[in-house]
Amino acid sequence: MAEYDYIIVGGGLVGSSIAYGLARQKHRVAVLDGGDRSFRASRGNFGLVWVQGKGANFAPYARLTGRAADLWPQFTEQLTGETGVGTDYQRSGGMHFCLDEQEWEERVEEMETIRAHTGDAFDYEMLNHDQVKQQIPQISDRVLGASYSAQDGHVNPLYLLQALQQGMDHHGVRYLPNQVIDKIEARQGGFRVHASEGVIAAGKIVLCAGLGNRPLGEMLGMDIPVVVDRGQIMITERLQPFLNLPTLHVRQTAEGTVQIGYSHEDVGLDDGTSPTELIKIAHRAVTMFPLLQRVQLVRAWGALRIMTPDGNPIYQQSTQCPGAFTVTCHSGVTLAAMHAGPVAEWIAGSLEQDLINKFSTDRFDVSQN
Ligand SMILES: Cc1cc2nc3c(=O)[nH]c(=O)nc-3n(C[C@H](O)[C@H](O)[C@H](O)COP(=O)(O)OP(=O)(O)OC[C@H]3O[C@@H](n4cnc5c(N)ncnc54)[C@H](O)[C@@H]3O)c2cc1C
């Protein structure tokens, strides 16, 4: 019998959530992670647990995200209960500002599409300027209004990662960093991974290596289309509380610093920053919150999103090598509660998941359309 039931490749938010979920179900799990120099979206993201705007082009994703957000309160309570590490999660509701009529109309259309996709389960309202100002007095007169969803919230993503790592430890997961994987062999009854640690065997394997999933997938007969998308984020000095809920572009952390972000760039595997993009981000933030004009910036960074061609997650079991899975997605913060729960159960085969089955790579196969 193999030493482990599951090998998880990748120890970011996705791999850690899946490993934690499987270990809670009493499976024996090893996580093979990369080194400090690998790309890690989990350490560079914005920390939103975000429903509004997700899945307008794919109804199952709208439903999946809504479920994830609804699972979050219980998920974080359990994780903190087991580890003593708080995640700073707040289900405070969230806003997406519209600066002109065109943005407003596009937003209404998108929100209505998502609402229809979820059979009205997605809960949102459009707020005019006065309604926004009532909740956020510091908002600029340039903001025409906002979409608001009570399902949205935010979290400290680094605390979340730390909590998941301690949660894995609590449930006996073996975590192996600095691994380079040379080869994965699919044999009857399991898989053998040739890594820096030596050969590690398990009954099943789950690829959660983010941008590393494409070459790993090829070793297991899976074509995993991964698209890179850089985002840049800035963080300010600590300010007095002025923003009691997150917005898509600006959020105030529990410590008082303000995170400013939301950019998309196609620059390949370059996770640096660029003044042009940072100026654009800062300009929009100051347009929304004039008080930000005079604050000190402490740091700026770039990080690479792990996207798929349609922006929606991939949950796939290899047909060529059954027992090999991949979870490849954006929004690994939001989806953490889903990954540690229903997706881990789907991988373990302990739950039939019609919803999750819709996320296979078959949807990219034009011959099936
Ligand atoms: C700018 C930005 C803002 C974002 N904002 C949000 C947000 O507000 N809310 C939200 O929900 N999501 C957000 N995201 C997305 C979120 O950060 C990611 O979905 C999530 O971090 C992905 O986690 P991951 O574990 O798949 O990938 P990663 O964090 O990249 O981890 C992959 C891991 O795999 C390891 N690895 C790679 N190759 C190998 C290999 N061959 N062998 C062993 N290990 C390997 C790496 O070392 C790494 O640790 C944002 C992302 C970015 C870039």
Side-chain angles (χ1 to χ4, degrees):
M1 189 170 78
E3 198 181 345
Y4 298 102
D5 299 318
Y6 291 89
I7 290 171
I8 313 295
V9 185
L13 283 172
V14 170
S16 300
S17 302
I18 299 281
Y20 170 71
L22 288 169
R24 284 195 91 246
Q25 296 175 50
K26 309 282 178 232
H27 297 294
R28 298 164 306 153
V29 180
V31 173
L32 307 187
D33 200 9
D36 276 345
R37 297 183 71 111
S38 48
F39 296 112
R40 291 167 185 265
S42 301
R43 297 187 187 187
N45 65 71
F46 204 64
L48 299 177
V49 175
W50 208 243
V51 180
Q52 53 171 305
K54 300 288 177 68
N57 68 346
F58 192 51
Y61 187 37
R63 294 200 288 274
L64 184 90
T65 307
R67 264 186 81 183
D70 291 343
L71 286 171
W72 247 97
Q74 190 197 340
F75 163 66
T76 190
E77 193 184 315
Q78 166 200 300
L79 191 57
T80 301
E82 286 179 358
T83 64
V85 181
T87 61
D88 281 354
Y89 171 66
Q90 285 181 41
R91 192 180 167 99
S92 45
M95 286 190 198
H96 176 123
F97 297 135
C98 305
L99 297 183
D100 57 37
E101 290 288 347
Q102 192 189 338
E103 284 186 15
W104 175 277
E105 276 160 28
E106 284 169 6
R107 196 67 188 156
V108 172
E109 195 182 333
E110 194 178 5
M111 297 293 98
E112 279 303 307
T113 306
I114 296 169
R115 173 133 68 193
H117 283 340
T118 61
D120 288 347
F122 169 55
D123 177 24
Y124 90 96
E125 54 187 308
M126 295 301 291
L127 306 178
N128 64 29
H129 175 82
D130 291 345
Q131 290 168 311
V132 174
K133 191 149 183 122
Q134 234 172 17
Q135 209 162 329
I136 311 172
Q138 300 281 10
I139 200 69
S140 142
D141 288 345
R142 296 277 311 277
V143 172
L144 184 74
S147 57
Y148 168 83
S149 170
Q151 285 175 286
D152 290 332
H154 59 153
V155 66
N156 182 321
L158 298 180
Y159 290 167
L160 171 61
L161 189 57
Q162 187 191 1
L164 284 168
Q165 283 176 342
Q166 294 206 11
M168 291 195 288
D169 195 46
H170 178 79
H171 289 287
V173 173
R174 186 165 177 223
Y175 174 77
L176 297 163
N178 301 313
Q179 298 301 305
V180 175
I181 294 172
D182 298 321
K183 190 163 72 162
I184 305 176
E185 290 175 274
R187 298 193 161 185
Q188 226 177 8
F191 298 87
R192 284 161 58 85
V193 180
H194 297 251
S196 312
E197 183 74 14
V199 177
I200 299 165
K204 294 181 180 172
I205 184 165
V206 191
L207 304 181
C208 305
L211 297 176
N213 272 347
R214 187 188 272 270
L216 291 167
E218 284 166 10
M219 298 183 197
L220 292 163
M222 281 190 276
D223 179 12
I224 307 172
V226 182
V227 178
V228 191
D229 173 26
R230 183 170 75 179
Q232 298 187 41
I233 296 177
M234 286 175 271
I235 195 143
T236 72
E237 61 182 321
R238 292 177 191 209
L239 305 181
Q240 290 297 322
F242 72 95
L243 187 56
N244 58 7
L245 48 69
T247 75
L248 187 68
H249 299 82
V250 179
R251 79 174 185 99
Q252 188 165 27
T253 67
E255 292 83 11
T257 58
V258 179
Q259 247 179 275
I260 302 170
Y262 210 65
S263 63
H264 291 275
E265 291 170 280
D266 177 4
V267 289
L269 296 176
D270 173 0
D271 64 354
T273 55
S274 69
T276 351
E277 204 59 34
L278 290 174
I279 288 167
K280 264 199 259 170
I281 298 168
H283 185 261
R284 189 167 170 110
V286 169
T287 305
M288 293 166 170
F289 296 99
L291 75 104
L292 293 176
Q293 202 160 14
R294 285 175 296 279
V295 304
Q296 295 285 334
L297 288 176
V298 175
R299 200 158 74 86
W301 68 87
L304 302 178
R305 293 184 184 87
I306 298 127
M307 301 301 294
T308 61
D310 62 2
N312 301 305
I314 295 172
Y315 302 126
Q316 173 80 43
Q317 177 167 197
S318 168
T319 40
Q320 203 173 311
C321 305
F325 295 80
T326 186
V327 175
T328 303
C329 67
H330 179 56
S331 294
V333 179
T334 307
L335 296 175
M338 194 71 194
H339 290 160
V343 174
E345 288 176 45
W346 168 77
I347 288 169
S350 55
L351 194 68
E352 269 306 310
Q353 281 288 349
D354 285 348
L355 176 59
I356 292 164
N357 287 332
K358 299 212 164 38
F359 291 88
S360 87
T361 50
D362 291 353
R363 67 183 192 270
F364 303 121
D365 183 353
V366 282
S367 65
Q368 303 215 351
N369 290 334

